[in-house]
Amino acid sequence: MGPKDLKITIRRASLVHPPPLTLEKRRSMFLSNIDQLFNFDVETIHFFSTVESFPPFAVCNAIERALQQLLVPYDFLAGRLRLDPLEGRLEIDCNGAGAGFVVASSEMTLEDVGDLTYPNPAFKNLVPTRSLKGLEDWPLMIIQVTSFKCGSFAMGISTNHITFDGATFKNFLDNLTSVAASSEGTLSVHPCNDRDLLSARSPPRVTFPHPELTKNIDSIFDASTGTPIETKHFRLSPSDITLLKQKANSSHGGAAPTSFNAVTAHVWRCHAAVTAANTSRLLYMVDLRPRLRQHLPKSYAGCAVWGAYAAATRDELVEGQFSRVVESVREGAKRVTEEYVRSVVDALEIGKGEALMSGDLLVTSWWRLGLEMVEYPWGSPLYCCPIVDRRRGVAVLVPDVKGSGGGGSGGLNVFIALSAGDEVELFEKMFYEFLTS
């Protein structure tokens, strides 16, 4: 854990507006029922080494210029959320109000910061905050560039999740680096902004049960209250991940498990061991684009993810065969077919915003997004990580820091929020016992 105070000074906070001609095409953007569930901010940090040919001021200029150009194909990023006066549902008014851009500096060097691996509470200061002067209306995207004393810097990005899911965010970053590197403003991916592609059917038809939905307020996205929450960090080496896959295969003759399924099963098993509940419901997000190939292009720029779910008893998870736990994880994704997705969208239409995704454990993966592979004009990031709110039962998978022995060879960080005290201690104990037994 690094220092708790990065001694950051905000130098400039402003709004970046699209070119004036864009406003002639002002429109309202329909938001799908899935989009509507993701109305909360996602904050990420991207750390970069010192590059003599790209000092921080040059990086700031390049990002700000590229952002302005991208507000044409991504016009919704310069817009604002509002309720449709007729339908009473959220939409984006693409009014050109602007995206945010912040320039900051730290009195510390990147070496002073220490281990970049999250969680470090001080990293919260590397992303824009709602209290910034000059940003009267909270934009859907704000980028903050913070330079360190050594010449290295961090790019913190805050976006409303309604604007992007992980795959679309990666596409946006690819476009940001492409435009920053070219005076012609060439896009590497042309976004598909037609969110009607995930609209409900008329009339809506719910053809599957959806136990991952609830009308109660215990949504996995609701902040925990009362009990103090601690975010615990675990590193898995490539050999650890291989060991988990071998354990799954040792008693099962089926298809070889993926690394994600093996790691998720391991985390689920440990989580079930430390909770008192007799049953446990797992949720993890799957990309819907390959599941709706004929109707949803890869470049679709909305939230095209849904929570695959699995359920098992505590005894099945803790005492049963690990291969069966892995298989339960795999079956969760197999369930999410095209008809299942259409049924979900229609169920949300009937629920009119009352239904929420809910589970006991949410595993969200940044592992294969490739954010750390984006090659900016000033190089690829040393490390990328999300700022994760302390919400009990949320686990995040993030690739390791470059040069740590894991980043380029498959190493993984696992962060999980648990009740402070006995639950954290028992989870740590079970994490290593299940790994080696």
Side-chain angles (χ1 to χ4, degrees), residues 69-255:
Q69 293 184 53
L70 288 179
L71 294 182
V72 177
Y74 293 98
D75 61 339
F76 57 91
L77 290 180
R80 297 293 183 267
L81 285 176
R82 71 176 183 186
L83 286 176
D84 182 310
L86 297 178
E87 299 286 336
R89 60 180 288 146
L90 276 179
E91 64 180 14
I92 298 178
D93 179 12
C94 301
N95 59 2
F101 189 74
V102 180
V103 178
S105 63
S106 170
E107 297 177 24
M108 309 186 78
T109 66
L110 197 57
E111 186 175 353
D112 293 332
V113 175
D115 186 358
L116 297 180
T117 305
Y118 185 86
N120 182 340
F123 288 176
K124 188 77 174 175
N125 296 316
L126 296 172
V127 294
T129 63
R130 289 185 180 270
S131 61
L132 285 173
K133 294 179 180 179
L135 300 177
E136 303 84 2
D137 192 9
W138 190 245
L140 297 178
M141 166 175 276
I142 305 182
I143 298 178
Q144 176 176 322
V145 180
T146 305
S147 58
F148 294 98
K149 197 175 179 180
C150 56
S152 57
F153 64 95
M155 180 174 66
I157 304 178
S158 173
T159 59
N160 188 304
H161 204 328
I162 276 180
T163 60
F164 291 141
D165 61 17
T168 307
F169 184 54
K170 167 61 163 56
N171 288 344
F172 172 81
L173 293 179
D174 284 335
N175 281 331
L176 183 72
T177 189
S178 179
V179 172
S182 168
S183 58
E184 289 100 31
T186 306
L187 297 181
S188 61
V189 180
H190 289 271
C192 170
N193 294 330
D194 183 6
R195 303 203 183 190
D196 283 292
L197 295 175
L198 276 179
S199 61
R201 295 176 289 197
S202 181
R205 302 189 303 278
V206 180
T207 53
F208 286 89
H210 293 289
E212 73 276 28
L213 289 175
T214 179
K215 289 189 177 181
N216 299 322
I217 60 170
D218 63 339
S219 165
I220 200 75
F221 300 119
D222 291 334
S224 300
T225 58
T227 308
I229 303 298
E230 180 180 345
T231 301
K232 190 68 180 176
H233 166 227
F234 301 90
R235 269 196 174 106
L236 288 173
S237 68
S239 59
D240 290 332
I241 297 168
T242 299
L243 178 61
L244 287 172
K245 294 170 72 173
Q246 290 172 344
K247 281 164 58 69
N249 258 340
S250 63
S251 57
H252 183 65

Side-chain angles (χ1 to χ4, degrees), residues 165-411:
D165 61 17
T168 307
F169 184 54
K170 167 61 163 56
N171 288 344
F172 172 81
L173 293 179
D174 284 335
N175 281 331
L176 183 72
T177 189
S178 179
V179 172
S182 168
S183 58
E184 289 100 31
T186 306
L187 297 181
S188 61
V189 180
H190 289 271
C192 170
N193 294 330
D194 183 6
R195 303 203 183 190
D196 283 292
L197 295 175
L198 276 179
S199 61
R201 295 176 289 197
S202 181
R205 302 189 303 278
V206 180
T207 53
F208 286 89
H210 293 289
E212 73 276 28
L213 289 175
T214 179
K215 289 189 177 181
N216 299 322
I217 60 170
D218 63 339
S219 165
I220 200 75
F221 300 119
D222 291 334
S224 300
T225 58
T227 308
I229 303 298
E230 180 180 345
T231 301
K232 190 68 180 176
H233 166 227
F234 301 90
R235 269 196 174 106
L236 288 173
S237 68
S239 59
D240 290 332
I241 297 168
T242 299
L243 178 61
L244 287 172
K245 294 170 72 173
Q246 290 172 344
K247 281 164 58 69
N249 258 340
S250 63
S251 57
H252 183 65
T258 65
S259 297
F260 172 82
N261 286 351
V263 170
T264 298
H266 178 60
V267 174
W268 187 21
R269 194 182 193 196
C270 295
H271 186 263
V274 305
T275 56
N278 291 326
T279 60
S280 176
R281 294 174 300 157
L282 167 73
L283 283 178
Y284 63 92
M285 295 299 154
V286 295
D287 186 359
L288 302 182
R289 293 167 183 82
R291 298 162 197 275
L292 287 80
R293 269 197 194 93
Q294 293 184 339
H295 307 292
L296 211 61
K298 288 183 179 180
S299 60
Y300 177 78
C303 290
V305 291
W306 189 249
Y309 79 93
T313 67
R314 186 180 187 278
D315 287 346
E316 287 171 334
L317 294 170
V318 177
E319 306 294 339
Q321 290 186 334
F322 181 61
S323 59
R324 181 57 197 140
V325 182
V326 174
E327 183 63 18
S328 293
V329 175
R330 188 179 74 87
E331 288 171 354
K334 285 180 62 179
R335 186 179 295 112
V336 187
T337 61
E338 176 162 0
E339 178 56 31
Y340 190 89
V341 173
R342 296 298 178 187
S343 177
V344 162
V345 173
D346 289 354
L348 293 171
E349 182 75 9
I350 293 171
K352 295 298 181 185
E354 294 180 4
L356 300 169
M357 244 187 286
S358 181
D360 302 300
L361 174 68
L362 169 65
V363 176
T364 177
S365 179
W366 297 66
W367 191 2
R368 305 300 189 194
L369 288 181
L371 303 186
E372 75 284 358
M373 303 300 291
V374 177
E375 191 64 36
Y376 300 86
W378 43 88
S380 59
L382 284 171
Y383 181 56
C384 302
C385 65
I387 296 290
V388 182
D389 288 335
R390 294 187 175 188
R391 297 167 188 251
R392 185 178 180 277
V394 174
V396 184
L397 311 182
V398 183
D400 217 340
V401 179
K402 284 184 180 178
S404 66
S409 55

